Amino acid sequence: MKIKLLIAFLCMLSLQSCGYYSFTGADTGNAETFQVNYFQNNAQLVEPGIDRDFTLRLQDLIQNQTKLGLANNNADLIYEGEITRYYIAPMTSTADSRAAQNRLTIAVNVRYYNTLDPEKDFEQTFSFYYDYPANSLLTGALREEAIEEIFLRITQDVFNASLTNW
């Protein structure tokens, strides 16, 4: 049993030390640093604080899933953009023509620059949504849950588009 554990440990150590394999599938190439510029909220309906929250969540995701160091300027990989849509729309209705479910949708336009390999640069809009009961107000814990779920999905999509070639 001890030999199996030792072999498993050595295999994991060798995968980690070679630097070519990542459990997240991230390919950072020769990049050592990244920066996430502040994402302005340019949506028609402005929800205070989501611009800061998105910027921080994208930074945290990249830091947690890569070995890249966070830089304030002159980084190898640069993320910037703006929140372009934040809106609520009714999705389903009841028999008496009232909304039964609403959908919050957030869209973020992202510009990605790879200063070491400019062929990987892109500009793309990422969006996701959260459905909730129409008889609930999108405030407090429900608002936080909705934004958290949307930003989790969008930041993961940005990560995948920029670093995993998915």
Side-chain angles (χ1 to χ4, degrees):
M1 182 67 177
K2 289 182 181 182
I3 294 175
K4 288 181 182 178
L5 287 174
L6 180 62
I7 291 172
F9 176 74
L10 290 174
C11 287
M12 287 178 49
L13 185 62
S14 68
L15 288 174
Q16 185 66 23
S17 64
C18 69
Y20 294 111
Y21 182 79
S22 166
F23 288 110
T24 63
D27 177 14
T28 58
N30 294 327
E32 295 178 4
T33 59
F34 78 99
Q35 77 185 57
V36 178
N37 295 333
Y38 187 73
F39 279 74
Q40 293 288 331
N41 188 349
N42 294 337
Q44 283 185 325
L45 179 60
V46 175
E47 181 66 30
I50 65 169
D51 41 7
R52 175 187 44 89
D53 291 346
F54 180 80
T55 302
L56 293 174
R57 284 198 177 83
L58 184 56
Q59 284 178 353
D60 290 346
L61 178 73
I62 296 167
Q63 279 186 307
N64 291 336
Q65 294 194 15
T66 69
K67 293 182 180 183
L68 296 172
L70 179 61
N72 292 327
N73 53 31
N74 299 322
D76 298 325
L77 309 177
I78 302 167
Y79 297 83
E80 66 181 29
E82 52 279 333
I83 297 171
T84 57
R85 290 188 340 220
Y86 179 99
Y87 68 91
I88 299 168
M91 292 309 299
T92 59
S93 61
T94 62
D96 58 351
S97 298
R98 288 186 294 160
Q101 191 173 41
N102 287 333
R103 174 174 285 178
L104 169 64
T105 302
I106 299 176
V108 181
N109 186 52
V110 176
R111 288 178 295 282
Y112 168 74
Y113 303 102
N114 184 329
T115 62
L116 304 175
D117 188 359
E119 288 185 18
K120 294 184 177 180
D121 294 357
F122 67 81
E123 181 171 357
Q124 184 177 341
T125 297
F126 298 88
S127 68
F128 201 67
Y129 60 88
Y130 181 86
D131 293 336
Y132 63 96
N135 61 355
S136 300
L137 293 175
L138 191 61
T139 59
L142 180 61
R143 176 192 167 278
E144 294 301 318
E145 179 183 339
I147 291 173
E148 178 68 29
E149 184 172 319
I150 291 169
F151 284 172
L152 177 68
R153 178 62 180 265
I154 293 175
T155 56
Q156 191 63 56
D157 288 347
V158 170
F159 180 86
N160 289 341
S162 60
L163 298 175
T164 65
N165 297 321
W166 285 13

